[in-house]
Amino acid sequence: MSAFTSSDVARSPGKRVIDILLALGALLLFAPLLVCIALAVRVESGGPVIFKQRRTGHMGRVFTIYKFRTMTVAEDNASVRQATRGDARVTAVGAILRQLSLDELPQLFNVLRGDMSVVGPRPHALAHDVQYGELIPTYADRFRAKPGLTGLAQINGFRGELKSADCMRGRVAADNLYIDSWSLGLDIAILAKTALMIFRDPQAY
C-alpha cells in the first residue's frame, strides 16, 4: 500500500463516541434477532455461525471482519470470488440475510473494537485490495478513514458484485469524496438513506 495521511474523519473524537453509542444501542436492540439468526444458520447448514475474513482498515492495518455465515465456503486467501446473483454457494438462510443486510450485524462488534466505524468506506477482501490497488492509483487513499458498515458509495449504488473495474473506480471515487468532505451531518444523511434502502436495495444479494 502507499503512504497514508491522516484525515478529519479519522481524527474526530465525536465520531468515535457516536460509533460506540450506536453500536451498543443496536446490539442491545437486536440481541434477540442476533440469537435467532445464529440458531437459523447453525440449524440449516451446521458449521460456524460467524464468517471471518481479513480486511484492510485505517492506515492499511489488517483486521478480521465478522459476518453471519451466508455461504457454504469461507474464503480468505489469495483468490476470493465475489458473490453473484443466484450464486450456488449462498445458503437459503444466507440469501435472506444478504437481501436484508442482516449478515452484516456482527460488524457492530468490529465497531466497538475500533476496527470499523458505522459510516465509512466498505472494506474489501485482501485479495481484492491487491487486485484493484494495482489498477486504480487512488485506491489506497480510501484507507485514510476507518471502514464502515455503510458509506457514501453504498447509498449511491456502488455495492455488490463488481462486473468491471469501472464499478470499483466509482466506489473508490465515492469513498474518497466522503473522506474529503466528511462531517457528522454527512454521516447522519448516509445513515438515514441506508435505513430507507434496507428493504429495497437491488444490489443486495
Side-chain angles (χ1 to χ4, degrees), residues 40-68:
V41 172
R42 176 59 63 85
V43 168
E44 180 194 34
S45 56
V49 168
I50 298 297
F51 166 67
K52 300 177 182 180
Q53 190 180 69
R54 290 170 299 160
R55 303 285 175 97
T56 305
H58 182 223
M59 305 300 282
R61 184 177 65 86
V62 175
F63 70 100
T64 299
I65 198 171
Y66 306 129
K67 293 186 177 188
F68 281 120

Side-chain angles (χ1 to χ4, degrees), residues 30-185:
F30 295 123
L33 178 60
L34 292 170
V35 172
C36 290
I37 292 173
L39 288 173
V41 172
R42 176 59 63 85
V43 168
E44 180 194 34
S45 56
V49 168
I50 298 297
F51 166 67
K52 300 177 182 180
Q53 190 180 69
R54 290 170 299 160
R55 303 285 175 97
T56 305
H58 182 223
M59 305 300 282
R61 184 177 65 86
V62 175
F63 70 100
T64 299
I65 198 171
Y66 306 129
K67 293 186 177 188
F68 281 120
R69 184 170 59 83
T70 61
M71 291 186 172
T72 56
V73 297
E75 298 173 336
D76 185 19
N77 46 47
S79 178
V80 176
R81 183 160 63 94
Q82 278 199 315
T84 58
R85 192 178 296 277
D87 199 314
R89 299 172 299 166
V90 178
T91 64
V93 170
I96 297 172
L97 298 181
R98 296 174 73 92
Q99 182 67 38
L100 299 176
S101 297
L102 295 176
D103 59 316
E104 312 284 2
L105 286 177
Q107 287 163 50
L108 291 168
F109 291 104
N110 284 117
V111 174
L112 289 181
R113 285 167 53 94
D115 298 324
M116 297 179 64
S117 178
V118 175
V119 180
R122 283 295 297 164
H124 305 135
L126 299 187
H128 296 151
D129 286 334
V130 173
Q131 176 185 355
Y132 291 105
E134 294 174 350
L135 292 175
I136 305 171
T138 57
Y139 185 89
D141 291 346
R142 61 200 301 278
F143 301 136
R144 292 175 294 157
K146 287 183 181 180
L149 295 174
T150 186
L152 187 63
Q154 284 63 47
I155 65 170
N156 283 287
F158 296 109
R159 179 187 178 182
E161 182 182 0
L162 294 168
K163 297 181 179 179
S164 71
D166 285 340
C167 294
M168 181 60 85
R169 289 189 181 92
R171 184 179 296 184
V172 169
D175 289 338
N176 286 324
L177 175 61
Y178 165 77
I179 295 171
D180 292 334
S181 57
W182 174 80
S183 70
L184 289 176

